[in-house]
Amino acid sequence: MIIHIRFDSQVRRLAGCNQTSVDVDAATSLTQIIQRVAEQGTESLRSALLDEGEVPRSSLLVFLNNELVAKDQLVPLHDGLELTLTTLISGG
């Protein structure tokens, strides 16, 4: 099934595009989807999405059809599902 990935804010700039798609099976976790997107992207995108342990960064936010979800949350996947990846914004 095809999952659509939208990039927002800083992640969009690092990805060099607004969105991509990945082909996954129903047993794929959100973490695995994020890892696949990181593998297909630039090194800058990979660094923004994954930490040194190759797991999604704590600063990464994942929205499933516009609702915030935990990266380790089990969600039912279906063809055409849309995930949005963005990062926390901080400043001083």
Side-chain angles (χ1 to χ4, degrees), residues 22-91:
V22 292
D23 190 5
V24 300
D25 59 46
T28 306
S29 69
L30 291 178
T31 294
Q32 290 169 321
I33 292 172
I34 295 165
Q35 289 168 331
R36 176 123 10 116
V37 170
E39 289 170 7
Q40 295 174 355
T42 64
E43 186 57 39
S44 296
L45 177 63
R46 181 181 186 84
S47 286
L49 299 181
L50 303 177
D51 67 15
E52 298 78 23
E54 298 296 313
V55 295
R57 290 192 176 277
S58 58
S59 60
L60 182 67
L61 300 176
V62 179
F63 292 85
L64 175 67
N65 292 333
N66 296 319
E67 287 200 35
L68 183 64
V69 295
K71 294 174 280 296
D72 59 354
Q73 183 175 337
L74 295 175
V75 297
L77 300 179
H78 59 82
D79 200 44
L81 186 75
E82 182 177 277
L83 292 178
T84 300
L85 304 179
T86 190
T87 56
L88 291 172
I89 298 173
S90 64

